[in-house]
């Protein structure tokens, strides 16, 4: 914008022009003292020039953070989510998984982590109006073989779980053909996979979800307490690579994690997301710093659970856009369903 359009005294405008400053952008490249030396203006006049140039470029309106957040049409990427395939769980996460960043799902064995990951692999293939991203998923196995039988069962029961999606549409999607499975046995193979092979699938638009099940297994096998520094460097490399993939391709990354239990009755410092304070997600602070969002799953003990399917709890431990909250869910032949009316803060 030309300096003539600035709301300033003509004397000040003339001094700016004499210094051969032609636009508001050129003015803002200078500090107050530099502007004084070039134009011969007083300190008060120099401040007025900078204020006028700044207001001219940014516009007259000042927006609060809440107003920017509510302008979904102008910032669609910040509001788009990948549905979990259940309206109750989606409400807990305000729509589902964010597209930019790493989400961790931590919990004990049999808590339902893999079940939820498989359900996401199906949900991502649906059209956007039904919470999907119209692409496949990459599933990286580091512990057990891929649970193909359970996946086939979920595919067959999609009409019962996803009653919001027309049956004709579900029958047209070849869910099993769009899940790309990788088995890796060690840290080097894992880094090779996420650094070389996964980007090819994402770049071609064949996948828009990456699941790592689990992130802790290769690191627990390879590194002992004496190699903590080496382990930390590899964790940082893995986290940086996954974040870069997520940001570049707007692809949610879900990392399933194991838990550790300390002998100290006080447990680790800070909230960990479990009813037992001695239990915490594996891999420590180094890995926690790589995450955008941490979720935990917990299964009720048999003496605490009411009759019927075992009750489980999904908790939000931390996330930049969510408060700490939780809700109950159950797992059936159809899939994972949140229990209405169980959300709590």
């Amino acid at each position: 914008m030309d300096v003539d359009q600035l709301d300033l005294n003509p004397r000040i405008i003339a001094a700016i022009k004499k210094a051969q400053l032609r636009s508001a952008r050129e003015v803002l490249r200078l500090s107050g003292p530099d502007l004084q030396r070039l134009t011969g203006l007083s300190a008060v006049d120099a401040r007025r020039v900078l204020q006028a140039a700044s207001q001219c470029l940014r516009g007259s309106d000042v927006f609060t953070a809440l107003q920017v957040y509510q302008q979904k049409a102008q910032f669609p990427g910040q509001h788009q989510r990948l549905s979990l395939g259940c309206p109750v769980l989606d409400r807990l996460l305000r729509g589902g998984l964010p597209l930019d960043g790493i989400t961790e799902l931590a919990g004990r064995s049999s808590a339902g982590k893999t079940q939820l990951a498989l359900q996401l692999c199906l949900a991502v293939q649906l059209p956007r109006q039904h919470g999907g991203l119209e692409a496949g998923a990459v599933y990286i196995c580091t512990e057990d073989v891929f649970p193909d039988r359970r996946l086939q069962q979920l595919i067959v029961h999609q009409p019962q779980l996803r009653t919001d999606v027309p049956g004709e549409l579900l029958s047209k999607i070849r869910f099993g053909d769009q899940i790309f499975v990788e088995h890796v046995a060690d840290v080097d193979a894992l880094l090779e996979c996420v650094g070389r092979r996964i980007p090819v699938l994402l770049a071609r638009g064949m996948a828009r979800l990456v699941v790592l099940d689990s992130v802790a297994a290769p690191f627990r096998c390879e590194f002992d307490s004496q190699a903590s520094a080496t382990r930390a460097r590899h964790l940082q490399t893995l986290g940086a690579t996954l974040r870069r993939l997520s940001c570049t391709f707007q692809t949610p990354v879900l990392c399933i994690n194991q838990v550790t239990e300390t002998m100290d009755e006080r447990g680790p410092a800070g909230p960990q997301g479990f009813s037992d304070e001695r239990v915490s997600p594996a891999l420590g602070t180094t890995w926690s710093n790589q995450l955008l969002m941490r979720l935990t799953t917990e299964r009720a003990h048999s003496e605490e659970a009411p009759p019927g399917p075992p009750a489980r709890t999904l908790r939000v431990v931390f996330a930049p856009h969510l408060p700490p909250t939780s809700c109950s869910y159950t797992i059936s032949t159809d899939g994972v369903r949140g229990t209405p009316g169980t959300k709590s803060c």
Side-chain angles (χ1 to χ4, degrees), residues 40-296:
L41 295 171
S42 66
V44 174
D45 286 341
R47 281 198 300 272
R48 288 174 181 167
V49 171
L50 293 174
Q51 289 172 357
S54 176
Q55 185 176 8
C56 183
L57 288 178
R58 80 176 183 215
S60 58
D61 296 328
V62 177
F63 295 98
T64 65
L66 177 61
Q67 288 171 325
V68 172
Y69 177 78
Q70 291 172 338
Q71 293 176 350
K72 295 187 177 182
Q74 296 185 29
F75 306 97
Q78 296 181 13
H79 300 273
Q80 191 174 1
R81 300 285 187 267
L82 171 59
S83 170
L84 275 69
C86 168
V88 177
L89 299 180
D90 283 344
R91 283 195 294 272
L92 177 73
L93 302 184
R94 293 185 184 172
L97 298 189
L99 304 192
D100 187 353
I102 301 173
T103 298
E104 179 192 76
L105 182 62
R108 295 180 184 270
S109 176
S110 78
K113 306 183 297 296
T114 298
Q115 304 284 333
L116 192 53
L118 292 176
Q119 187 160 302
L120 280 164
C121 289
L122 302 181
V124 72
Q125 301 181 44
L126 296 174
R128 295 176 185 272
Q129 63 264 34
H130 296 295
L133 299 174
E134 302 180 63
V138 180
Y139 203 105
I140 307 172
C141 300
T142 64
E143 295 185 63
D144 300 321
V145 296
F146 181 74
D148 184 65
R149 291 182 61 183
R150 176 53 173 159
L151 176 67
Q152 296 304 320
Q153 189 179 46
L154 290 174
I155 293 173
V156 171
H157 288 87
Q158 277 293 285
Q160 287 75 44
L161 180 72
R162 299 304 303 264
T163 55
D164 58 314
V165 183
E168 182 181 355
L169 175 60
L170 290 174
S171 64
K172 290 181 179 179
I173 300 176
R174 303 179 65 177
F175 288 104
D177 292 344
Q178 299 188 77
I179 300 176
F180 306 93
V181 180
E182 288 274 357
H183 287 89
V184 298
D186 53 49
V187 172
D188 289 337
L190 176 58
L191 294 176
E192 171 78 12
C193 178
V194 300
R196 293 179 179 270
R197 294 196 293 277
I198 303 304
V200 175
L201 293 172
L202 300 181
R204 294 176 179 176
M206 300 172 69
R208 287 289 302 279
L209 170 67
V210 176
V211 176
L212 176 53
D213 185 6
S214 72
V215 63
F219 288 93
R220 280 183 157 180
C221 293
E222 282 195 46
F223 301 102
D224 55 22
S225 58
Q226 304 300 319
S228 57
T230 304
R231 188 184 81 157
R233 285 197 299 272
H234 281 84
L235 277 172
Q236 290 169 349
T237 300
L238 175 63
T241 303
L242 292 174
R243 291 199 313 273
R244 183 170 62 252
L245 291 176
S246 180
C247 178
T248 302
F249 299 104
Q250 287 296 284
T251 296
V253 174
L254 178 68
C255 291
I256 294 174
N257 197 3
Q258 303 168 352
V259 298
T260 58
E261 186 171 351
T262 63
M263 300 302 294
D264 189 346
E265 293 184 359
R266 294 175 299 175
Q272 302 298 321
F274 297 99
S275 57
D276 188 343
E277 294 183 354
R278 295 172 299 175
V279 176
S280 63
L283 301 180
T285 306
T286 300
W287 174 248
S288 297
N289 290 337
Q290 312 301 317
L291 306 176
L292 174 74
M293 178 164 64
R294 167 169 281 166
L295 308 175
T296 61

Side-chain angles (χ1 to χ4, degrees), residues 310-329:
R312 295 168 166 88
T313 302
L314 179 67
R315 290 189 179 90
V316 178
V317 181
F318 63 75
H321 60 294
L322 296 172
T325 184
S326 66
C327 78
S328 298
Y329 68 95

